[in-house]
Amino acid sequence: MEDQLIAEEIKRLKKERNAIILSHFYTRREVQEVADFVGDSLSLCRAAVNSKADIIVFAGVHFMAESASILSPEKSVLLPVPDAGCPMADMVTVKALREEKEKHPDAAVVCYVNSSAAVKAESDICCTSANAVNVVNSIESREVIFVPDKNLGAFVSLHTDKKIHLWPGFCHVHDNISEDDIQKLKNAHPDAEFLAHPECRPEVLLLADQILSTTGIVKQVEKSDSGEFIIGTEKELFEKLKRKHPDKKFYPPSEKARCYNMKKITLESILNSLENMEYEIHVPEHVRVKAKKALDRMVEISGS
């Protein structure tokens, strides 16, 4: 079936089932085009909570669909491809986190949303790349265990006087962007504004003109007087900005900066998800209740 026909059938089924599609910025172009809302992790959490739909089809990875289910247990949350996971989220386990908490009994646990429901349930509060600094500075504890992204945690540590215990996890997409990649681009395009995501390595962030969440990068491009940009995040955003701003020039940081798990979501998988109500995400209630507290605290701080 052609993409246009699939898109039309998706539209029909959405209406019939009172469903919406939430899509992350890193999914395929054609997936974003059938979505009701496209955003980053924080805005997708808000969209899930505010939606009046009975069914949420999450065009993203597993932890995102889990978060939607945690926040909106009365809704059916579907993940079109069940093995669309996040390698970084898998880098922290409940057992390992509990052991770390025993080593630092006075520390609060700040958990990046790129983590499993079970890990969120072991945490005091969640954060996203957009609000991580505000979240860490909002808590009373003088010590923080920051899981699972060491690069985001290192960035946060520069903007707080709290002691941060970094977890050795990372996002392979952003970690694949090297200092050498960026320096070459800056040399070739000296007038370009380098906008970097805080999941990038510290040495890469030192070269950035602005360090921003995915949504922050989109907004900065819109308001900046610059005509050229190096986009330091997943390559799909570079493609999206290039289409949206044909009068400006954009340069991708690396061909390696691709999230293959996000790309597993296709139009065909979304159609199958709506037709067969697959694959529904279930979070055990005892885990959901504890994880929701951590997510709710984050959303409150973010002014939702």
Side-chain angles (χ1 to χ4, degrees):
M1 199 186 295
E2 292 181 10
D3 282 2
Q4 186 58 41
L5 291 174
I6 296 174
E8 287 172 9
E9 183 63 8
I10 288 171
K11 189 175 179 181
R12 184 190 70 78
L13 279 168
K14 278 199 302 181
K15 189 174 181 180
E16 182 182 294
R17 296 190 184 281
N18 188 26
I20 62 163
I21 298 170
L22 303 182
S23 174
H24 194 274
F25 280 123
Y26 300 162
T27 58
R28 299 166 181 269
R29 175 184 180 177
E30 61 271 21
V31 167
Q32 294 187 37
E33 287 174 350
V34 299
D36 299 279
F37 186 88
V38 180
D40 61 11
S41 297
L42 178 58
S43 57
L44 290 171
C45 280
R46 288 174 173 156
V49 171
N50 295 333
S51 169
K52 299 291 189 275
D54 295 318
I55 297 165
I56 295 172
V57 180
F58 219 110
V61 293
H62 192 271
F63 76 80
M64 296 177 178
E66 269 192 338
S67 292
S69 183
I70 290 165
L71 291 166
S72 303
E74 75 285 358
K75 297 165 187 167
S76 296
V77 179
L78 307 177
L79 182 64
V81 180
D83 69 346
C86 172
M88 177 166 65
D90 296 336
M91 292 177 186
V92 55
T93 64
V94 169
K95 181 176 180 290
L97 179 54
R98 284 177 178 167
E99 289 171 357
E100 190 71 7
K101 286 164 75 172
E102 285 179 10
K103 291 179 194 171
H104 308 287
D106 296 328
V109 179
V110 176
C111 172
Y112 193 22
V113 290
N114 300 35
S115 55
S116 69
V119 167
K120 288 180 176 71
E122 285 291 321
S123 305
D124 295 291
I125 188 169
C126 293
C127 73
T128 70
S129 59
N131 64 19
V133 172
N134 287 343
V135 165
V136 167
N137 284 325
S138 76
I139 59 181
E140 292 182 6
S141 304
R142 304 306 303 159
E143 280 186 73
V144 169
I145 298 168
F146 192 95
V147 298
D149 189 344
K150 64 180 180 181
N151 292 334
L152 179 59
F155 169 72
V156 169
S157 71
L158 300 175
H159 300 274
T160 185
D161 58 0
K162 297 180 189 296
K163 184 175 182 179
I164 308 290
H165 302 284
L166 298 178
W167 196 265
F170 59 90
C171 166
H172 71 89
V173 174
H174 293 93
D175 209 59
N176 275 334
I177 299 170
S178 72
E179 182 182 11
D180 191 45
D181 289 331
I182 300 303
Q183 198 59 66
K184 284 177 181 174
L185 281 170
K186 287 175 77 77
N187 291 342
H189 310 286
D191 296 329
E193 191 174 344
F194 174 35
L195 308 179
H197 193 284
E199 287 181 20
C200 291
R201 297 172 180 226
E203 63 268 26
V204 170
L205 296 183
L206 285 174
L207 299 172
D209 295 294
Q210 300 251 17
I211 300 168
L212 301 161
S213 67
T214 317
T215 296
I217 290 173
V218 172
K219 289 179 178 176
Q220 177 61 19
V221 168
E222 288 172 354
K223 69 182 182 184
S224 175
D225 293 329
S226 298
E228 296 180 84
F229 299 89
I230 299 165
I231 303 299
T233 189
E234 212 272 350
K235 203 179 172 192
E236 198 69 42
L237 191 68
F238 151 78
E239 302 284 359
K240 187 179 182 75
L241 290 169
K242 197 167 63 168
R243 292 192 298 271
K244 191 174 181 182
H245 302 279
D247 56 322
K248 298 183 178 184
K249 293 181 180 176
F250 298 93
Y251 310 107
S254 168
E255 289 301 319
K256 295 177 183 176
R258 284 194 178 277
C259 180
Y260 296 105
N261 278 285
M262 291 282 194
K263 302 299 185 283
K264 289 178 180 178
I265 309 295
T266 62
L267 286 181
E268 288 87 353
S269 69
I270 290 172
L271 178 58
N272 176 72
S273 187
L274 280 166
E275 283 179 336
N276 300 304
M277 290 294 290
E278 292 177 339
Y279 293 85
E280 191 163 359
I281 298 297
H282 295 284
V283 178
E285 186 63 11
H286 71 284
V287 172
R288 189 195 71 78
V289 169
K290 290 177 71 177
K292 187 175 186 296
K293 286 181 183 176
L295 279 168
D296 282 343
R297 286 188 68 191
M298 173 191 79
V299 174
E300 284 164 17
I301 285 168
S302 303
S304 180

